[in-house]
Amino acid sequence: MTVTELLSYEAALAAYDPVMGLEVHVELGTKTKMFCGCSTELGAEPNSQTCPTCLGLPGSLPVVNAIGVESAIKIGLALNCEIAEWCRFARKNYFYPDMPKNFQTSQYDEPIAFNGYLDVQLEDGEVFRVEIERAHMEEDTGKSTHIGGATGRIHGASHSLLDYNRAGIPLIEIVTKPIEGAGERAPEVAKAYVAELRELIRALGVSEARMDKGQMRCDVNLSLRPNGTTTFGTRSETKNVNSLRSVERAARFEIQRHAAVLTAGGTIVQETRHFHEDDGSTTSGRIKDNAEDYRYFPEPDLVPVAPAREWVEELRKGLPELPRVRRNRLREEWGVSEVEMQAILNAGAVDAIVATTEAGADAASARKWWMGELARNANEQGVSLEELSITPSDVARVSALVAGGDLNDKLARQVIEGVLAGEGTPDEVVEKRGLKVVSDDGALGTAVDEAIAGNAAIADKIRGGKVAAVGALVGAVMKATRGQADAAKVKDLILEKLGVSEG
Amino acid sequence: MTDNIIKLTAAEIAGKIAAGELTAVEVTEAHLARIEAVDEKVHAFLHVDREGALAQARAVDEKRARGEKLGPLAGVPLALKDIFTTVGMPTTVGSKILEGWIPPYDATLVKNLKAADVVILGKTNMDEFAMGSSTENSAYGPTGNPWDLTRIPGGSGGGSSAALAAYEAPLAIGTDTGGSIRQPAAVTGTVGVKPTYGGVSRFGMVAFSSSLDQGGPCARTVLDAALLHEAIAGHDPLDSTSIDAPVPPVVEAARNGSVAGMRVGVVKQFRGEGYQAGVVQRFDESVELLKSLGAEIVELDCPTFDLALSAYYLIAPSECSSNLARFDAMRYGLRVGDDGTRSAEDVTALTREAGFGDEVKRRIILGTYALSSGYYDAYYGSAQKVRTLITREFEKAFEEVDVIVSPTTPTTAFPIGERADDPMAMYLADLCTIPTNLAGNAAMSLPCGLAPEDGLPVGLQIIAPAMKDDRLYKVGAAVEAAFVEKWGHPLLEEAPSL
Amino acid sequence: MPGITREEVAHLARLARLELKGEELDHFAGQLDDIIGAVARVSEVADQDVPPTSHPLPLTNVMRADEVRPSLTPEQALSGAPAQEQQRFKVPQILGED
Ligand SMILES: [Mg+2]
Ligand SMILES: [Zn+2]
């Protein structure tokens, strides 16, 4: 591993203009693989979801998954692409043990979708248009486990073990045109693009696009050119950058590394690079020389895909509201600022809040719970909001209990804590923990009477007009009811009993 | 008795079994005995599945005993080219790289045969990965031509055609990428049909050149070929290139042979240099025969056919270079040189070097070359244009004629070893058969006599438009009947006894 | 006609993962040169304005429904494996990246 001195980010940008290209692979959420009927369910026994086709057994043949094609068209349409009237699959020939046929069935010069764009919104609300070159269909490879080396790394391994359950799972590869003009915001644009794409894919319902599960993977291509020039510099390709934060870090690191090399009079090697999550650095991978010759040719085992225009238009009509449009609509409906909306977005809370309002809660309280108590909890556990064991309707119920005066905020937090701990629904937690606000006027009346009787001097002061002293009596009642009373109500009751009116 | 059984046609065998005059077990045993007696000399089979065949035969007899209706080929033995996957039987494709591999799945064609209650005797020899015209490229040694064991039985399906000519089986299956069903049929005096591309499923047929490969029937008579054709053809959802349309009425056509009023094309390009005199003579006599049977002969000029061989030797190697990449020593088949220190990459390269024969390596390298950047347009791209032009010439021709006839192959069977290290000479054997593969239409070869100079069989090729496979049988049956009448017996009876 | 050299054959053999021996390189270089020389005739049509045919059938849109079909059992899948471990295909060390 060669350690490169980095140039400071500011110095790099003072001299150079970054150009990026982003290649994102999305695993579709189809029930079966792209070219065979094997299940795509995660977590199955090794090699239990394989057949002659996805194992590349002699004699086997592929048949295209219709939902794979449909998903590709939906993605293309959502990315404002043209949809090919006629296109084919091609074979990309290269040997690798995780690829059963030693060619990947992919698309080459005839992608199903091309020439589109995606508008992405940066944190301050600025909208940046990322041009899309193409989106095409292909298939995933098997999974190798490297044995005998240090911590499962490929280097130093004595042998590898292959599981082909993943081989053949449909992938859509989405490639941007060179992203120019982002300047110092290039890393931010990269992150925002991948985030926006992820939202879009989820909104379309074609994949969960979980980066942590490898369902969405990003390659960051980056080059620098001296400010004021137009010719692209030599690029590096940082492979498999698998979180939003990493996309931003990888771009930033490569800008600084390229700048350091170029400033020192060196040249950039066209190569693949590996990103390291631990320190945000990249290291040299495979050099891309001319030895790599994929010998693409049209896949003779498949026939062309020629999506009927009526089908394409039908799919276009069925597209959901796109994430950015939806977000702006919600922001207005909820009456929050760009910055607040961005925070909600970053927390991954948009859908949860929407679902909670749909379950009857008002937007403000839904936001309050998801962005407060629940976000904190998820953060502590290191999980996403949707992984918490509480549903939007649970949250809506808690919110309704508060609105109805059955719970106060403090009790509501305890209810949520109970639900998260698996104690049941909000109502069950209230019941089991005995958390209901004491609203029974009889019980509360008794508590108030006792408080007045036990604090006669204070009661007199209040009767005498020192209304501010009521706090002490309220405190006494709250103590007696172990916090389960509505403080405002207690206050009103005391004043009423003492025949005093406020203000 | 055995002698009588093995000389029966498939149609006769099925008839006798259905009528209770023979049992399927008797028929199977007779053929197994014949294999036992002659296959040491012929070497048509790579694997004989005695137990499996007898079990299938018993099942047919039981079915009959239960009074169930039997299909038109129930109980008829068949020799299967070793290119189709078979559960419980090895599938080697004539290669060391797959030696001993027993597939976990049956090819669709095999399922169809089983559904028709055909008795599969075993797997036949072939040029490695179907690359060759002589069966000399088999990693398991050559097959002899029953007419003269020192000569080739054609290829790649020489094992299947030899099995028929040696009376080891009345039916066989071949595959035809550039002529591998028709050329062996021609040089062994048997009948072979390459159906329309997409007519017979390729699922489970080990790929050589995907856009050209087509499985098809081999038999000793036109009717038998038709019966087998009907049993194996039809749409298969597991093969995207399978035609979703009814199988042409081939059996009906074979039972009603006639050429009266038909227009028959003779292509100028299918004669000249390289054609043996006796082959040309028998072909010309066949044309005269067609005329005498009421056909009108039309001369055709198809200039691009001269480029067919060249286009084929770019397209087929290109596709095979990719199709054969999967033989990498990782998941199945041979593995060489895995000593615990070598990389997967090195083990793959060593295994492929050890496991593939010369012709396979030659074609892989040729295909790798033709597809590589910088050469693609000149070679692969141009070859695909030739394909378009050939298809157009066929289309134009079929506006004028119903079928086209030609010699199947320019020469009779050549001696084993003669062209072994001269690939270009070997490739010429497919001169007349290749255009059909490039265009995807249907063609048949049937015997049209013996060449006077060497006394070896000559094949007549009949070519029909795509999905008009029935025309092959209509014309073929008429020609066959006329020849048998003329000769007084089927041609194969003139073959020396083994 | 550009002659195909021994070095070119060696490069193609590497691409095709064939560990050709020295004498094979020479042998194949000669033969391939002959074959390429003969088949290069196809370029006679290179300038003709005709579409390439990659497939004899005019079919399009052959697709299947997204419905799960039975897979092989792991035992069947691994039945031809030269080596296996932990229900996975055991292969020699893999060089290189990605
Ligand atoms: Mg890709
Ligand atoms: Zn599968």
Side-chain angles (χ1 to χ4, degrees):
Chain A
M1 193 187 290
T2 38
V3 181
T4 317
E5 285 295 324
L6 300 182
L7 204 62
S8 81
Y9 192 67
E10 292 67 30
L13 266 299
Y16 298 102
D17 175 25
V19 177
M20 289 186 302
L22 299 169
E23 289 178 28
V24 173
H25 286 86
V26 179
E27 255 185 20
L28 293 179
T30 49
K31 289 193 199 74
T32 66
K33 295 185 179 182
M34 191 66 202
F35 302 113
C36 65
C38 287
S39 169
T40 56
E41 200 74 47
L42 293 175
E45 287 259 287
N47 294 302
S48 63
Q49 291 172 175
T50 64
C51 71
T53 298
C54 59
L55 279 176
L57 293 189
S60 63
L61 293 172
V63 186
V64 172
N65 183 338
I67 299 298
V69 175
E70 184 184 282
S71 304
I73 295 173
K74 283 183 181 169
I75 290 173
L77 289 172
L79 291 172
N80 306 291
C81 287
E82 295 172 49
I83 304 302
E85 304 214 358
W86 189 92
C87 67
R88 286 182 294 192
F89 285 95
R91 292 186 182 180
K92 181 181 184 182
N93 293 287
Y94 66 99
F95 282 82
Y96 212 76
D98 63 9
M99 196 167 56
K101 297 166 293 182
N102 287 314
F103 61 78
Q104 183 190 36
T105 307
S106 180
Q107 293 194 284
Y108 180 45
D109 48 359
E110 298 162 345
I112 188 148
F114 52 94
N115 263 345
Y117 63 87
L118 180 63
D119 285 334
V120 304
Q121 205 160 4
L122 304 183
E123 294 202 10
D124 62 358
E126 188 191 323
V127 174
F128 193 97
R129 176 161 293 188
V130 175
E131 308 270 353
I132 305 293
E133 170 90 35
R134 58 189 285 155
H136 73 245
M137 302 175 275
E138 56 182 37
E139 56 178 336
D140 212 342
T141 58
K143 220 179 169 98
S144 17
T145 312
H146 307 297
I147 309 292
T151 62
R153 295 281 290 276
I154 195 165
H155 293 292
S158 64
H159 61 277
S160 298
L161 300 179
L162 285 156
D163 169 13
Y164 293 102
N165 283 351
R166 198 182 64 182
I169 289 186
L171 291 179
I172 304 297
E173 180 176 331
I174 301 153
V175 184
T176 66
K177 290 182 182 167
I179 302 170
E180 301 178 66
E184 60 175 2
R185 305 196 76 171
E188 198 188 334
V189 167
K191 178 185 171 187
Y193 166 74
V194 178
E196 188 65 29
L197 191 55
R198 188 181 64 177
E199 292 304 308
L200 182 119
I201 300 284
R202 287 181 182 171
L204 292 172
V206 296
S207 169
E208 287 179 36
R210 293 280 301 269
M211 294 186 85
D212 57 330
K213 288 189 176 166
Q215 292 166 334
M216 185 162 166
R217 323 195 269 266
C218 180
D219 297 345
V220 180
N221 298 337
L222 188 131
S223 67
L224 294 185
R225 60 186 172 192
N227 278 332
T229 64
T230 52
T231 318
F232 295 162
T234 305
R235 70 171 188 274
S236 60
E237 302 177 15
T238 306
K239 295 284 183 191
N240 292 322
V241 188
N242 292 336
S243 75
L244 293 179
R245 180 165 169 259
S246 299
V247 168
E248 185 169 19
R249 289 168 89 203
R252 200 179 167 92
F253 182 91
E254 282 298 283
I255 288 173
Q256 291 180 261
R257 186 184 67 83
H258 280 228
V261 172
L262 294 171
T263 307
T267 49
I268 298 296
V269 183
Q270 188 174 339
E271 62 182 355
T272 63
R273 295 188 67 86
H274 303 291
F275 180 73
H276 303 285
E277 294 280 349
D278 46 0
D279 62 356
S281 71
T282 71
T283 53
S284 186
R286 178 166 46 86
I287 292 189
K288 284 242 172 171
D289 58 12
N290 294 328
E292 208 63 79
D293 184 345
Y294 294 123
R295 290 159 284 132
Y296 282 100
F297 71 104
E299 165 58 280
D301 287 330
L302 292 172
V303 302
V305 176
R309 294 299 97 178
E310 305 80 69
W311 186 33
V312 173
E313 289 317 309
E314 199 181 301
L315 292 175
R316 194 194 303 276
K317 273 192 224 120
L319 288 183
E321 183 183 26
L322 296 181
R324 193 177 64 87
V325 175
R326 172 169 176 259
R327 262 187 338 257
N328 286 336
R329 173 176 60 78
L330 291 174
R331 191 175 60 74
E332 281 182 18
E333 283 175 15
W334 295 347
V336 297
S337 68
E338 291 277 5
V339 175
E340 279 174 287
M341 194 63 199
Q342 191 61 45
I344 291 171
L345 204 65
N346 293 348
V350 177
D351 289 342
I353 294 171
V354 170
T356 306
T357 57
E358 280 166 2
D362 65 291
S365 72
R367 228 168 55 232
K368 183 180 92 183
W369 291 118
W370 284 107
M371 291 302 290
E373 194 65 13
L374 293 168
R376 193 159 47 246
N377 220 289
N379 213 10
E380 278 163 19
Q381 292 185 47
V383 297
S384 65
L385 286 176
E386 64 258 44
E387 282 171 293
L388 288 176
S389 43
I390 189 164
T391 63
S393 52
D394 289 339
V395 177
R397 177 64 187 150
V398 171
S399 174
L401 289 170
V402 173
D406 293 317
L407 292 178
N408 56 26
D409 273 14
K410 188 178 157 213
L411 292 174
R413 269 194 292 279
Q414 291 180 47
V415 173
I416 284 174
E417 186 189 289
V419 175
L420 287 172
E423 292 169 23
T425 64
D427 290 300
E428 285 164 3
V429 175
V430 167
E431 185 65 34
K432 282 184 203 158
R433 292 198 180 186
L435 295 175
K436 224 159 169 95
V437 165
V438 179
S439 59
D440 169 6
D441 284 352
L444 204 54
T446 311
V448 169
D449 289 344
E450 281 170 6
I452 292 171
N455 299 279
I458 298 173
D460 283 342
K461 273 187 197 168
I462 297 167
R463 285 193 193 96
K466 291 194 95 180
V467 176
V470 75
L473 288 187
V474 171
V477 174
M478 294 306 281
K479 195 177 171 192
T481 59
R482 302 194 315 283
Q484 296 181 22
D486 182 335
K489 192 167 182 181
V490 170
K491 185 179 165 192
D492 289 347
L493 208 58
I494 293 169
L495 294 177
E496 190 192 312
K497 294 224 178 203
L498 296 177
V500 183
S501 69
E502 210 171 353
Chain B
M1 182 64 186
T2 292
D3 211 40
N4 294 335
I5 292 176
I6 62 169
K7 297 259 165 111
L8 295 173
T9 68
E12 288 165 348
I13 289 172
K16 287 182 187 295
I17 291 174
E21 293 166 33
L22 280 174
T23 65
V25 169
E26 277 175 302
V27 171
T28 303
E29 276 173 345
H31 285 93
L32 289 169
R34 175 69 175 173
I35 293 169
E36 188 89 13
V38 303
D39 205 54
E40 213 166 305
K41 286 183 267 184
V42 180
H43 193 227
F45 283 88
L46 292 178
H47 178 84
V48 177
D49 184 20
R50 167 171 282 279
E51 294 317 312
L54 286 169
Q56 277 178 286
R58 273 194 295 273
V60 172
D61 290 336
E62 282 160 17
K63 213 167 168 175
R64 187 181 176 278
R66 286 196 302 270
E68 288 178 42
K69 195 176 177 315
L70 297 180
L73 289 177
V76 179
L78 174 139
L80 181 64
K81 189 174 182 180
D82 199 22
I83 196 169
F84 289 92
T85 58
T86 41
V87 172
M89 251 194 277
T91 298
T92 70
V93 203
S95 182
K96 284 284 176 212
I97 211 153
L98 270 186
E99 189 163 16
W101 181 58
I102 299 183
Y105 78 109
D106 272 337
T108 298
L109 177 138
V110 172
K111 285 189 177 161
N112 291 346
L113 289 174
K114 288 181 178 172
D117 285 323
V118 171
V119 173
I120 300 173
L121 295 172
K123 309 289 286 282
T124 58
N125 200 11
M126 57 183 289
D127 284 303
E128 185 177 7
F129 284 100
M131 297 176 199
S133 309
S134 68
T135 314
E136 292 164 287
N137 294 334
S138 168
Y140 304 98
T143 295
N145 187 326
W147 288 80
D148 175 351
L149 292 171
T150 69
R151 288 179 185 258
I152 60 105
S156 64
S160 286
S161 63
L164 294 173
Y167 296 101
E168 293 173 273
L171 294 177
I173 292 289
T175 63
D176 194 314
T177 304
S180 287
I181 286 176
R182 290 162 287 162
Q183 183 258 4
V187 300
T188 56
T190 57
V191 179
V193 175
K194 184 205 95 72
T196 298
Y197 182 89
V200 172
S201 171
R202 293 186 297 117
F203 190 77
M205 179 177 136
V206 181
F208 159 20
S209 180
S210 310
S211 75
L212 302 167
D213 296 342
Q214 188 59 204
C218 306
R220 288 193 290 260
T221 70
V222 171
L223 176 61
D224 283 3
L227 291 166
L228 184 52
H229 190 135
E230 201 166 69
I232 59 175
H235 180 241
D236 179 9
L238 297 179
D239 176 358
S240 307
T241 63
S242 163
I243 296 171
D244 192 1
V247 179
V250 291
V251 173
E252 192 197 318
R255 293 194 196 277
N256 297 286
S258 163
V259 295
M262 280 182 116
R263 296 164 66 86
V264 175
V266 173
V267 177
K268 202 169 106 182
Q269 280 72 20
F270 285 142
R271 66 196 298 140
E273 207 192 325
Y275 285 77
Q276 190 179 321
V279 168
V280 175
Q281 187 186 331
R282 292 297 176 233
F283 172 68
D284 289 343
E285 287 167 11
S286 304
V287 173
E288 287 308 311
L289 179 82
L290 284 162
K291 249 192 250 177
S292 74
L293 293 173
E296 184 192 338
I297 305 301
V298 180
E299 290 280 338
L300 298 168
D301 184 15
C302 301
T304 319
F305 282 21
D306 285 340
L307 292 175
L309 191 68
S310 296
Y312 176 85
Y313 277 99
L314 289 165
I315 294 166
S318 296
E319 292 183 4
C320 98
S321 71
S322 174
N323 281 331
L324 270 58
R326 69 188 62 198
F327 300 97
D328 63 357
M330 300 294 121
R331 290 163 299 283
Y332 43 79
L334 187 69
R335 180 181 287 183
V336 167
D338 183 12
D339 60 1
T341 67
R342 285 201 181 92
S343 66
E345 182 175 347
D346 287 347
V347 167
T348 297
L350 284 167
T351 302
R352 288 163 66 81
E353 167 65 8
F356 289 143
D358 273 3
E359 183 62 21
V360 172
K361 289 183 208 167
R362 206 157 29 229
R363 296 205 199 184
I364 288 174
I365 291 179
L366 179 57
T368 305
Y369 177 76
L371 288 177
S372 57
S373 62
Y375 295 106
Y376 182 93
D377 289 336
Y379 294 130
Y380 192 74
S382 295
Q384 303 287 40
K385 283 188 174 184
V386 168
R387 203 167 179 174
T388 307
L389 294 171
I390 287 174
T391 306
R392 286 181 183 174
E393 283 180 3
F394 266 123
E395 279 167 6
K396 203 166 137 260
F398 285 123
E399 282 169 15
E400 292 184 54
V401 300
D402 299 301
V403 293
I404 292 170
V405 292
S406 79
T408 306
T409 180
T411 70
T412 55
F414 48 85
I416 290 174
E418 188 187 82
R419 303 183 189 178
D421 204 38
D422 186 355
M424 284 314 292
M426 186 72 87
Y427 298 168
L428 291 175
D430 298 330
L431 212 51
C432 310
T433 45
I434 279 174
T436 305
N437 297 87
L438 292 174
N441 43 11
M444 169 189 279
S445 176
L446 77 167
C448 64
L450 303 177
E453 61 268 49
D454 53 22
L456 291 169
V458 176
L460 172 69
Q461 177 174 233
I462 306 166
I463 305 173
M467 287 313 279
K468 303 291 182 201
D469 305 43
D470 49 320
R471 285 190 200 165
L472 304 175
Y473 291 95
K474 196 165 182 65
V475 176
V479 170
E480 180 183 61
F483 274 130
V484 169
E485 196 188 318
K486 184 175 156 194
W487 302 324
H489 53 73
L491 188 70
L492 208 52
E493 288 197 5
E494 293 183 37
S497 62
L498 289 163
Chain C
M1 192 46 51
I4 183 160
T5 63
R6 189 181 197 274
E7 286 64 44
E8 250 177 306
V9 174
H11 168 68
L12 294 168
R14 262 195 307 280
L15 271 180
R17 292 280 195 282
L18 286 168
E19 184 71 47
L20 293 187
K21 296 181 212 73
E23 66 268 26
E24 275 182 304
L25 290 175
D26 294 317
H27 192 60
F28 283 147
Q31 287 181 332
L32 288 168
D33 210 36
D34 289 348
I35 298 171
I36 298 282
V39 301
R41 285 192 62 198
V42 295
S43 57
E44 286 172 21
V45 303
D47 57 346
Q48 284 200 41
D49 188 24
V50 290
T53 298
S54 60
H55 214 271
L57 286 178
L59 293 174
T60 54
N61 295 332
V62 176
M63 299 182 205
R64 69 185 163 80
D66 185 24
E67 287 160 9
V68 176
R69 290 173 51 93
S71 293
L72 294 172
T73 63
E75 294 68 36
Q76 287 173 318
L78 287 150
S79 61
Q84 54 175 292
E85 200 175 288
Q86 298 168 33
Q87 208 171 295
R88 293 167 172 91
F89 294 85
K90 183 181 175 186
V91 306
Q93 51 173 309
I94 300 171
L95 294 184
E97 320 288 346
D98 52 66

